[in-house]
């Protein structure tokens, strides 16, 4: 070893290590120390309240984790129904308490595995389910009326999958009204990372997707009372590199789109708002993330009551599940990610999340293995059962820094939120390219911060070691692709063609004449139409072509 | 193609397939532009024919592709033969999450170099400058 190598560590001690920046991740300058002056003007009853009491800053339930620990709901889905069914059972055995399914990109964009766009992509980043039979196989042996099923999918896939779930329940002799779970069905989040308008409109038009989301809200409010929808997704946009204030603003502006859409249908706010929930990020700046979750709760409660006139308390609850941030993880020295994820889960718990999904440590380089998936569940269990943080509600509440930061973030977020609303809401912000500019700017800033050493990423631009990231992807798309393609083709051959075709015509009619689409989509999946076919029918009905 | 001496080299960057994680490729686009390259970013969701056509139309000296979710072989198998038809064919580099076992396969298809996750733009710039200098 060269002398310089170890002398550098000694030198570091003499120089003294310091924070590389004195602002929060979102750029708020942090006081050296906070005291009463920082919370001057804060009124306990008006601004905080008890947990379970308006404005719910401290938590949506009075007893929080004493009543019930957060749900551990690892996102899963890969390959085909059999693999996913196996992994579901494994995770339940290891202590997961909810099911969280994600479609592969093929299904997510409304294609079947035998479509040209599906080449090389089947069963990657999610599970390939394009038929009712495959949904049944994926959920084989699982008691639908006793467990909560979450589906992270946007329209049209989200609506089609929900229809399959309903059809499956009926087939099993269960009342669909007993189905519990969440269908995200948020058309405003960009699948898999990209944010430009093109990703929102490349494969399915944006405004019709919003309509599908509102149709689903309407249908669930009348017939599926235990299905939460939409689950407004702020996580994906946060992963582009924007900050906590942006995340609050864009997530709530997205929610406003659905609230206003449903109100425009004539639904009363309390008929659907209690079933609305959120999916947000949990990032590395621990205190800022806690402040973010608290600000989210306060802003949402006030918005719903004062702006949208909600009376039912449940309409005012910011119910959320937190996904630990993937962009914070590194391919270098992957075990470091266990530490990062632990901090992110802790932030979510201190922030009062109802559910937490954590990334596996090797997620930067592969899909989770059983071991890494198990470790994630253990992380939650250790925090839940060994750390003691669950014994009291909102433990950081009342702290000078926490309350100051909560208020500061709230103010920044509200300014941004109002800006988005003034330009016509999230749809307008996306279509005009404004959101894309914000994201690109944030990206450049983050990269510049990293190159200048203001933002350290251990193992990447600091404390590096000589190594090649060992990438292990599930390279089985070839096999799955052949399997799934063959399955779908046989499935289509073996059904009553006329019945399927008629059902698809009905879907097109409903789309064209503005009826709620859910009943015809449900009838279509029962008539053995595939996900790709239903999506195609919807596109055709509005004259949308995929190039 | 081959720009006359003094003109910046032209780099076409694109993502193919359904994945739209474009953070890495966008960061690279900006960095290459700052380093003096002429960068054309084709965006996401390109079919192989679209990338090949753009490479010709833009007289690309370099084609850079970004992959994340395991779709690299399927896409490169379709694209590289199309790119090789150009005279002279562009230099092809790939970035993203690529398993080590696939590196020789990509090389055989004609990919000059694969850059893994966490690659800082400076390495890519250095590589391009050296390779393009040789070919000038």
């Amino acid at each position: 070893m060269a002398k310089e190598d170890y002398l550098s560590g000694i030198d570091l001690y003499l120089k003294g290590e310091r924070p590389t920046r004195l602002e929060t991740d979102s750029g708020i300058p942090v006081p050296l120390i906070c005291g009463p002056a920082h919370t001057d003007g804060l009124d306990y009853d008006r601004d905080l309240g008890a947990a379970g009491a308006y404005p719910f800053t401290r938590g949506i339930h009075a007893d929080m984790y004493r009543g019930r620990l957060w749900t551990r709901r690892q996102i899963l889905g890969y390959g085909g129904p059999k693999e996913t069914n196996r992994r579901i059972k494994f995770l339940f055995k290891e202590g997961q308490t909810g099911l969280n399914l994600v479609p592969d990109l093929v299904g997510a964009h409304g294609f079947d595995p035998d479509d040209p766009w599906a080449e090389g992509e089947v069963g990657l980043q999610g599970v390939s389910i394009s038929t009712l039979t495959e949904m049944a196989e994926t959920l084989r042996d699982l008691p639908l009326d006793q467990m909560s099923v979450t589906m992270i999918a946007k329209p049209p896939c989200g609506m089609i999958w929900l229809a399959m779930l309903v059809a499956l329940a009926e087939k099993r002799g269960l009342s669909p009204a007993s189905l519990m779970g969440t269908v995200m069905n948020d058309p405003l989040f960009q699948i898999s990372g990209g944010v430009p308008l093109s990703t929102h409109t490349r494969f399915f038009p944006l405004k019709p997707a919003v309509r599908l989301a509102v149709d689903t809200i309407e249908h669930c409010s009348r017939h599926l009372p235990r299905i939460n929808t939409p689950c407004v997704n702020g996580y994906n946009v946060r992963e582009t590199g924007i900050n906590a204030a942006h995340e609050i603003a864009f997530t709530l502006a997205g929610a406003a789109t659905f609230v206003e859409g449903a109100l425009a249908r004539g639904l009363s706010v309390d008929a659907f708002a209690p079933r609305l929930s959120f999916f947000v990020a949990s990032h590395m700046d621990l205190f800022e993330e806690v402040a973010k979750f608290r600000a989210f709760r306060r802003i949402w409660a006030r918005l719903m009551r004062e702006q949208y006139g909600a009376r039912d308390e449940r309409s005012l609850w910011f119910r959320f599940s937190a996904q630990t941030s993937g962009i914070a993880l590194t391919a270098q020295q992957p075990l470091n990610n266990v530490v990062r994820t632990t901090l992110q889960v802790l932030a979510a718990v201190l922030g009062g999340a109802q559910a937490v999904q954590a990334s596996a440590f090797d997620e930067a380089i592969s899909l989770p293995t059983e071991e890494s998936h198990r470790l994630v569940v253990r992380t939650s269990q250790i925090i839940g059962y060994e750390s003691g943080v669950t014994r009291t509600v909102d433990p950081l509440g009342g702290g000078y820094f926490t309350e100051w930061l909560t208020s500061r973030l709230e103010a920044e977020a509200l300014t941004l939120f109002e800006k988005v609303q003034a330009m016509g809401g999230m749809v307008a912000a996306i279509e005009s390219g404004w959101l894309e500019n914000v994201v690109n700017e944030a990206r450049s800033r983050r990269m510049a911060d990293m190159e200048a050493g203001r933002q350290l990423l251990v193992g990447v631009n600091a404390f590096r070691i000589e190594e090649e990231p060992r990438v292990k992807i599930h390279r089985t798309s070839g096999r799955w692709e052949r399997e799934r393609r063959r399955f779908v083709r046989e499935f289509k051959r073996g059904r009553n063609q006329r019945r399927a075709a008629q059902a698809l015509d009905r879907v097109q009619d409903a789309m064209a004449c503005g009826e709620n689409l859910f009943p015809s989509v449900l009838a279509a999946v029962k008539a053995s139409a595939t996900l790709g076919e239903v999506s195609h029918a919807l596109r055709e009905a509005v004259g949308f072509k995929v190039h | 193609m081959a720009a006359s001496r003094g003109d910046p080299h032209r780099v076409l960057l694109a993502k193919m397939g359904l994945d739209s994680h474009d953070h890495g490729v966008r960061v690279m686009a900006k960095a290459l532009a700052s380093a003096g390259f002429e960068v054309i970013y084709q965006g996401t969701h390109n079919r192989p024919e679209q990338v090949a056509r753009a490479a010709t139309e833009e007289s690309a000296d370099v084609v850079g592709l970004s992959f994340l979710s395991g779709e690299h072989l399927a896409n490169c198998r379709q694209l590289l033969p199309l790119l090789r038809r150009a005279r002279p064919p562009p230099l092809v580099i790939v970035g993203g999450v690529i398993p080590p076992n696939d590196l020789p396969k990509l090389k055989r298809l004609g990919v000059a170099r694969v850059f893994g996750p966490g690659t800082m733009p400076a390495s890519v710039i250095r590589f391009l400058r050296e390779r393009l200098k040789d070919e000038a």
Side-chain angles (χ1 to χ4, degrees):
Chain A
M1 187 187 299
K3 217 178 184 180
E4 306 81 68
D5 290 343
Y6 60 84
L7 283 183
S8 64
I10 295 167
D11 198 42
L12 202 57
Y13 170 75
L14 290 176
K15 283 214 195 86
E17 291 180 273
R18 286 185 188 77
T20 55
R21 52 194 301 182
L22 300 178
E23 308 90 33
T24 65
D25 201 62
S26 67
I28 298 172
V30 176
L32 173 65
I33 185 168
C34 286
H38 290 91
T39 54
D40 197 25
L42 193 74
D43 179 297
Y44 190 84
D45 291 318
R46 183 193 66 202
D47 302 322
L48 298 185
Y54 185 83
F56 304 101
T57 313
R58 307 200 68 183
I60 63 173
H61 301 301
D63 58 359
M64 287 305 293
Y65 301 128
R66 274 205 194 181
R68 193 189 176 89
L69 291 185
W70 59 97
T71 304
R72 283 171 298 283
R73 205 191 293 274
Q74 291 308 113
I75 289 181
L76 68 96
Y78 72 98
K82 250 198 291 285
E83 290 79 17
T84 298
N85 181 263
R86 242 197 317 260
R87 185 60 70 91
I88 292 172
K89 288 167 175 163
F90 170 79
L91 284 172
F92 272 120
K93 177 172 87 83
E94 293 302 320
Q96 173 141 322
T97 49
L99 168 60
N100 199 347
L101 276 181
V102 65
D104 65 2
L105 288 184
V106 179
H109 284 296
F111 298 114
D112 287 335
D114 59 350
D115 192 285
W117 276 105
E119 184 144 2
E121 316 248 16
V122 176
L124 302 178
Q125 295 197 44
V127 60
S128 176
I129 295 174
S130 41
T131 64
L132 180 54
T133 307
E134 288 165 305
M135 183 62 80
E137 254 188 77
T138 305
L139 300 176
R140 185 192 295 271
D141 305 324
L142 300 167
L144 291 182
D145 56 343
Q146 291 171 45
M147 63 185 224
S148 165
V149 178
T150 292
M151 297 173 163
I152 305 274
K154 62 194 289 187
C157 177
M159 187 189 233
I160 298 168
W161 270 22
L162 178 60
M164 287 181 181
L165 193 65
V166 169
L168 185 59
E170 289 179 7
K171 243 189 173 147
R172 290 194 191 176
L174 299 167
S175 158
S178 68
L179 285 171
M180 287 178 281
T182 299
V183 175
M184 182 171 279
N185 225 32
D186 173 352
L188 302 179
F189 80 91
Q190 70 293 358
I191 297 171
S192 72
V195 89
L197 177 62
S198 62
T199 66
H200 290 283
T201 58
R202 186 75 172 78
F203 302 114
F204 202 87
L206 185 56
K207 290 202 177 89
V210 174
R211 177 242 170 117
L212 290 182
V214 179
D215 279 359
T216 310
I217 293 170
E218 187 177 41
H219 185 86
C220 289
S221 78
R222 301 213 160 101
H223 306 287
L224 304 174
R226 302 175 83 191
I227 295 287
N228 298 293
T229 196
C231 180
V232 183
N233 184 339
Y235 172 81
N236 283 41
V237 72
R238 179 74 193 269
E239 282 289 280
T240 61
I242 61 169
N243 65 41
H246 291 127
E247 184 187 346
I248 297 173
F250 299 151
T251 307
L252 295 183
T257 307
F258 307 121
V259 172
E260 287 164 16
L263 290 175
R265 288 281 177 98
L267 290 172
S268 91
V269 67
D270 291 323
F272 64 88
R275 292 275 129 202
L276 199 153
S277 65
F278 296 87
F279 178 70
V280 295
S282 189
H283 232 285
M284 289 302 293
D285 188 325
L286 192 136
F287 287 104
E288 184 169 66
E289 291 299 293
V290 174
K292 179 188 81 180
F293 300 128
R294 302 171 92 249
F296 254 130
R297 278 193 292 268
R298 184 156 73 210
I299 298 174
W300 179 248
R302 286 180 175 161
L303 183 72
M304 289 304 282
R305 181 193 272 193
E306 289 161 29
Q307 176 127 2
Y308 297 114
R311 291 275 158 270
D312 187 329
E313 202 178 62
R314 295 169 303 159
S315 301
L316 311 178
W317 293 348
F318 181 82
R319 295 183 306 143
F320 73 100
S321 94
Q323 165 73 49
T324 62
S325 162
I327 200 179
L329 304 185
T330 60
Q332 288 74 10
Q333 302 173 43
L335 281 180
N336 292 349
N337 295 326
V338 177
V339 181
R340 294 188 177 103
T341 302
T342 304
L343 290 170
Q344 293 165 331
V345 174
L346 183 60
V349 168
L350 293 174
Q354 280 56 63
V356 180
Q357 285 84 240
S359 307
F361 73 87
D362 48 2
E363 202 132 330
I365 55 181
S366 76
L367 287 177
T369 58
E370 285 190 348
E371 289 74 21
S372 61
H373 235 156
R374 181 193 290 126
L375 180 54
V376 153
V377 176
R378 295 288 178 265
T379 303
S380 255
Q381 289 164 333
I382 290 168
I383 292 175
Y385 293 110
E386 294 183 17
S387 76
V389 303
T390 58
R391 295 182 194 132
T392 190
V393 175
D394 189 32
L396 294 178
Y400 300 116
F401 182 43
T402 303
E403 297 304 346
W404 174 83
L405 192 52
T406 302
S407 299
R408 269 302 299 269
L409 256 183
E410 178 187 24
E412 304 234 345
L414 276 173
T415 305
L416 265 170
F417 173 80
E418 265 136 40
K419 193 174 194 161
V420 172
Q421 293 299 86
M423 68 177 78
M426 273 308 273
V427 172
I430 292 168
E431 288 185 332
S432 67
W434 181 85
L435 180 66
E436 186 170 348
N437 288 338
V438 169
V439 166
N440 285 334
E441 210 183 306
R443 267 188 179 129
S444 305
R445 215 177 313 129
R446 186 171 180 269
M447 202 60 202
D449 282 346
M450 280 192 57
E451 289 184 341
R454 281 189 297 271
Q455 171 74 50
L456 286 202
L457 199 46
V458 172
V460 173
N461 66 354
F463 310 115
R464 293 175 64 92
I465 62 176
E466 282 312 308
E467 69 182 322
E468 280 302 316
R470 295 167 307 112
V471 173
K472 298 172 310 229
I473 301 179
H474 283 243
R475 287 173 51 241
T476 49
S477 178
R479 192 191 94 215
W480 286 327
E481 199 157 306
R482 285 190 293 277
E483 248 180 48
R484 292 295 107 210
R485 220 189 333 235
R486 192 177 19 191
F487 178 86
V488 165
R489 286 189 178 139
E490 273 179 39
F491 179 89
K492 287 198 264 207
R493 263 198 297 269
R495 67 186 175 185
N496 181 326
Q497 303 303 347
R498 214 167 60 113
R499 209 174 140 232
Q502 278 173 348
L504 287 167
D505 284 342
R506 269 261 66 236
V507 168
Q508 277 211 41
D509 291 341
M511 186 69 169
C513 72
E515 270 178 43
N516 188 307
L517 269 157
F518 200 89
S520 57
V521 169
L522 177 60
V525 305
K526 284 180 180 173
S528 299
T530 65
L531 181 146
E533 288 174 328
V534 174
S535 307
H536 182 73
L538 294 169
R539 289 186 199 107
E540 285 264 298
V542 295
F544 180 85
K545 291 228 175 315
V546 178
H547 300 292
Chain B
M1 227 219 33
S4 61
R5 210 164 298 151
D7 287 350
H9 285 102
R10 299 173 68 78
V11 181
L12 180 81
L13 296 178
K15 272 194 71 73
M16 293 159 63
L18 297 177
D19 183 73
S20 48
H21 282 98
D22 62 347
H23 178 90
V25 70
R26 282 177 171 271
V27 162
M28 204 55 72
K30 239 182 167 209
L32 289 172
S34 303
F37 291 90
E38 189 80 45
V39 179
I40 308 107
Y41 176 49
Q42 278 294 104
T44 53
H45 308 309
N46 290 285
R47 299 212 53 82
E49 318 79 67
Q50 290 167 323
V51 178
R53 190 167 46 236
T56 306
E57 285 171 5
E58 297 287 352
S59 305
D61 300 302
V62 180
V63 170
L65 308 167
S66 166
F67 299 106
L68 175 96
S69 50
E71 73 282 41
H72 47 281
L73 280 179
N75 280 293
C76 285
R77 277 190 189 121
Q78 291 186 58
L79 176 62
L80 272 290
L82 297 178
L83 290 177
R84 270 205 300 280
R85 292 191 198 151
R87 291 275 164 277
L91 183 73
V92 181
I93 56 173
V94 163
V97 185
I98 313 287
N101 285 359
D102 288 349
L103 264 56
K105 293 181 189 154
L106 288 175
K107 268 234 147 66
R108 272 196 298 274
L109 287 171
V111 174
R113 176 78 180 266
V114 176
F115 296 95
T119 299
M120 296 301 257
S123 326
V124 179
I125 291 166
R126 210 166 29 236
F127 172 80
L128 287 180
R129 283 194 175 138
E130 283 187 27
R131 280 296 289 259
L132 293 170
K133 182 174 52 140
D134 293 343
E135 294 180 4

